[in-house]
């Protein structure tokens, strides 16, 4: 018999009147039942967070840091259990689920470190002008208020961590809404936070149904919204609350550029392996997975068969098997959408080099070439294990191809030339350029986010803390400098 998972209301366990089922996308088995908060319980959580905001902002740094350290250590202790939970509810292969737990460990550790050093204050002498003689300015950062964090399904633990850990580190109360398809990992974070001594109300984890979110988004007691998910939903949220502070981490159409100097057999083998791995990891359900390969004509004919072979070597199957590289998508509907987009491209003249087959929620790793520019799969984020390969002539054409997208999250550039790396950094309209590798690299402490339709603001622990806070200046008068 499957137990029902409680949610976390103002730091304590609670149960609502209804439940919903969480099922494995791999085999449909029931992973768990989750209790749904009532409207009254959601209101209680919001009211508690709003009431505690001043107390929490004034909580000593060592208290917040100790709580974050505790969660980090407990994640280490429970790594295998949590990895198997992620794999069960999300369909992510165990090897990637273990990696996700490791990243969440780092996020909470980084947040503990930042809690100890953030907001130390910056002094500025004002006697550089006659009117400022005897005056000193001290600038510190203070929380903007309660944060509403909305997390997606594809990294159900780590992207919840990226919402809640920076908020706690900055002293901002947070209400975390995990994705309905994958709430169990977020509820684990609540379980670990409940073992700490953080003030009641400073955090809640509420598996609220999507149709209940507009009221929360509109609530004036929640002035900061941090959303990771689809472009459509993210911008709908921002448009509905123009006076709130919104951080949006949205979609991508990740490009890996292989330039002419990346030409040895060893180079091309490495590029092909990295491209194959990171077009298919997480089932391609990552905003920075490789979706487009843009190869210089001088290396294209040697690279393409290597990419196809490396993609075909990816092990697909049961996500609970340690040998599996590629598991199912989050649902059969998601796989059907990918199937439709691939078929549209093929019907329009694209060459299907491998893959192109669906089995329930699973979709075979797929490579397309000669894809017309106006097809959906060329223009949108596929969020599945599919990549397209394009031939270009020279660096300028390659960089133009990267920029020919409404998205701008990250890009990878395979080159050995330092000057080319700096030109790529200047020319590419993205939030991050990864040289010598695919666009799929993310260090959890670095600024992460995009431009154009890929979002607004930056994640990464310290950068999220800056988003959750504002500068307040204290001017001291009669200071003898």
């Amino acid at each position: 018999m499957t137990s029902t998972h409680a949610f976390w209301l103002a730091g304590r366990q609670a149960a609502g009147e209804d439940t919903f089922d969480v099922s494995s996308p791999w085999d449909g088995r029931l992973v768990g039942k989750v209790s749904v908060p009532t409207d009254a319980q959601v209101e209680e959580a919001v009211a508690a967070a709003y009431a505690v905001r001043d107390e929490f902002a004034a909580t000593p740094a060592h208290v917040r840091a100790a709580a974050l350290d505790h969660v980090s250590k407990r994640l280490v202790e429970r790594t295998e259990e949590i990895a198997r939970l992620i794999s069960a509810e999300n369909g992510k292969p165990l090897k990637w689920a273990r990696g996700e737990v490791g990243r969440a460990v780092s996020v909470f550790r980084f947040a503990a470190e930042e809690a100890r050093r953030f907001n130390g204050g910056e002094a500025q002498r004002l006697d550089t002008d006659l009117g400022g003689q005897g005056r000193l300015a001290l600038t510190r950062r203070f929380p903007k208020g309660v944060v509403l964090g909305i997390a997606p399904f594809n990294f159900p633990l780590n992207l919840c961590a990226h919402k809640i850990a920076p908020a706690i580190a900055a002293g901002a109360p947070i209400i975390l809404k995990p994705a309905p398809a994958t709430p169990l990992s977020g509820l684990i974070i609540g379980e670990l936070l409940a073992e700490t001594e953080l003030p009641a109300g400073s955090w809640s984890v509420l598996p609220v149904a999507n149709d209940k979110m507009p009221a929360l988004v509109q609530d004036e007691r929640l002035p900061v919204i941090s959303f990771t998910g689809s472009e459509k939903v993210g911008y709908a949220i921002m448009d509905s609350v123009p006076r709130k502070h919104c951080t949006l981490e949205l979609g991508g159409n990740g490009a890996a550029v292989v330039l002419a100097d990346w030409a040895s057999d060893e180079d091309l083998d490495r590029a092909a392996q990295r491209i194959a791995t990171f077009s298919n990891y997480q089932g391609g359900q990552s905003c920075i997975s490789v979706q487009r390969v843009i190869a210089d004509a001088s290396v294209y004919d040697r690279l393409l068969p290597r990419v196809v072979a490396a993609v075909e070597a990816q092990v697909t199957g049961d996500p609970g098997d340690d040998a599996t590289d590629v598991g199912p998508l989050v649902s059969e509907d998601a796989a059907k959408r990918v199937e439709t987009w691939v078929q549209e491209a093929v019907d329009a003249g694209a060459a299907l080099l491998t893959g192109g087959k669906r089995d329930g929620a699973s979709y075979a790793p797929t490579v397309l070439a000669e894809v017309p520019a106006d097809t959906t799969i060329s223009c949108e984020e596929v969020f599945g294990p599919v990549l397209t390969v394009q031939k270009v002539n020279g660096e300028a054409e390659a960089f133009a191809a990267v920029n020919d997208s409404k998205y701008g999250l990250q890009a990878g550039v395979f080159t050995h030339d330092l000057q080319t790396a700096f030109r790529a950094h200047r020319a590419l309209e993205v939030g991050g350029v990864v040289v010598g590798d695919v666009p799929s690299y993310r260090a959890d402490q670095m600024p992460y986010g995009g431009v154009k339709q890929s979002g607004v603001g930056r994640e990464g622990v310290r950068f999220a803390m800056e988003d959750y806070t504002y500068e307040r200046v204290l001017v001291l008068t009669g200071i003898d400098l």
Side-chain angles (χ1 to χ4, degrees):
M1 183 174 179
T2 303
S3 61
T4 298
H5 296 257
F7 54 85
W8 297 92
L9 194 166
R12 70 179 195 279
Q13 273 191 313
E17 298 170 354
D18 298 320
T19 64
F20 66 91
D21 293 345
V22 178
S23 300
S24 165
W26 168 246
D27 56 13
R29 74 183 187 280
L30 183 65
V31 179
K33 289 180 174 291
V34 175
S35 186
V36 181
T38 65
D39 291 346
Q41 289 170 322
V42 172
E43 167 57 29
E44 182 182 346
V46 173
Y50 187 75
V52 82
R53 68 193 189 283
D54 291 337
E55 176 190 344
F56 193 43
T59 301
H62 72 86
V63 174
R64 288 178 276 117
L68 294 161
D69 273 331
H70 174 82
V71 175
S72 182
K73 291 173 184 176
R74 294 285 283 137
L75 287 170
V76 171
E77 293 169 359
R78 296 176 63 177
T79 291
E80 188 64 17
E81 168 202 348
I82 297 172
R84 290 187 178 277
L85 179 65
I86 292 170
S87 183
E89 70 171 343
N90 172 275
K92 182 174 300 192
L94 266 177
K95 64 174 64 177
W96 296 113
R98 293 185 184 110
E100 181 174 349
V101 179
R103 289 181 60 188
V105 168
S106 295
V107 169
F108 279 96
R109 187 181 74 250
F110 293 143
E113 294 167 356
E114 291 294 347
R116 293 183 174 97
R117 62 178 169 240
F118 187 76
N119 201 22
E122 179 182 345
Q124 182 181 15
R125 61 188 304 160
L126 302 178
D127 63 353
T128 53
D129 184 79
L130 178 62
Q133 190 167 330
R135 297 178 187 268
L136 178 73
L138 180 66
T139 303
R140 293 177 59 196
R141 300 190 70 89
F142 293 87
K144 293 173 180 173
V146 184
V147 177
L148 174 60
I150 307 171
F153 69 81
N154 56 327
F155 289 85
L157 180 74
N158 196 44
L159 292 183
C160 284
H162 269 288
K163 304 301 180 191
I164 206 163
I168 290 171
I174 181 167
I175 293 174
L176 175 69
K177 179 206 176 297
T182 56
L184 303 178
S185 301
L187 293 172
I188 285 284
I189 293 177
E191 183 179 331
L192 302 183
L193 284 171
E195 298 170 353
T196 72
E197 297 181 359
L198 292 175
S202 58
W203 61 272
S204 293
V205 182
L206 303 179
V208 181
N210 287 343
D211 61 4
K212 297 288 187 180
M213 286 307 295
L216 268 177
V217 167
Q218 295 288 335
D219 197 305
E220 293 183 357
R221 294 168 294 178
L222 309 175
V224 180
I225 298 175
S226 178
F227 172 85
T228 301
S230 73
E231 171 194 356
K232 178 181 178 180
V233 175
Y235 283 117
I237 288 173
M238 176 176 277
D239 290 344
S240 72
V241 285
R243 290 178 176 83
K244 289 195 177 191
H245 180 87
C246 293
T247 298
L248 307 179
E249 199 281 283
L250 307 177
N253 192 335
V257 177
V258 184
L259 293 176
D261 69 302
W262 199 269
S264 71
D265 288 341
E266 182 180 358
D267 283 343
L268 295 177
D269 286 343
R270 180 176 184 277
Q273 186 58 55
R274 297 293 286 176
I275 287 166
T277 298
F278 287 97
S279 65
N280 295 293
Y281 84 130
Q282 330 290 337
Q285 297 169 122
S286 168
C287 297
I288 47 175
S289 66
V290 181
Q291 183 171 335
R292 297 183 291 156
V293 178
I294 299 167
D296 189 85
S298 64
V299 298
Y300 179 90
D301 290 338
R302 295 167 56 218
L303 175 67
L304 184 56
R306 286 174 160 90
V307 169
V308 172
V311 167
E312 291 177 341
Q314 295 288 300
V315 178
T316 62
D318 184 350
D321 187 331
D322 284 330
T324 298
D325 298 312
V326 187
L329 276 69
V330 73
S331 67
E332 186 169 355
D333 284 345
K336 287 179 177 179
R337 177 189 54 76
V338 173
E339 181 180 42
T340 299
W341 288 14
V342 170
Q343 189 59 54
E344 178 203 29
V346 172
D347 290 344
L352 176 63
L353 303 182
T354 191
K357 297 178 181 178
R358 181 181 65 83
D359 181 9
S362 296
Y363 196 81
T366 297
V367 181
L368 297 168
E370 303 167 25
V371 181
D374 60 350
T375 55
T376 305
I377 213 160
S378 289
C379 304
E380 301 294 336
E381 179 182 43
V382 66
F383 228 58
V386 179
L387 64 86
T388 66
V389 188
Q390 175 183 357
K391 183 190 298 185
V392 294
N393 292 300
E395 174 189 306
E397 189 173 325
F399 292 170
V402 174
N403 291 339
D404 186 20
S405 171
K406 67 178 181 179
Y407 297 112
L409 191 49
Q410 291 198 163
V413 181
F414 286 92
T415 182
H416 294 291
D417 186 77
L418 184 61
Q419 292 301 322
T420 300
F422 278 104
R423 286 194 298 270
H425 194 207
R426 178 179 294 277
L428 297 180
E429 298 167 353
V430 294
V433 178
V434 183
V435 175
D437 206 351
V438 293
S440 315
Y441 174 77
R442 177 182 179 182
D444 292 287
Q445 71 272 37
M446 77 180 190
Y448 175 77
V451 296
K452 298 193 283 189
Q453 300 301 302
S454 286
V456 178
R458 292 294 180 268
E459 290 190 343
V461 176
R462 178 170 66 84
F463 304 93
M465 291 169 70
E466 291 175 356
D467 251 336
Y468 295 166
T469 57
Y470 69 96
E471 292 176 320
R472 186 186 298 167
V473 178
L474 174 69
V475 176
L476 301 174
T477 305
I479 302 298
D480 184 4
L481 296 175

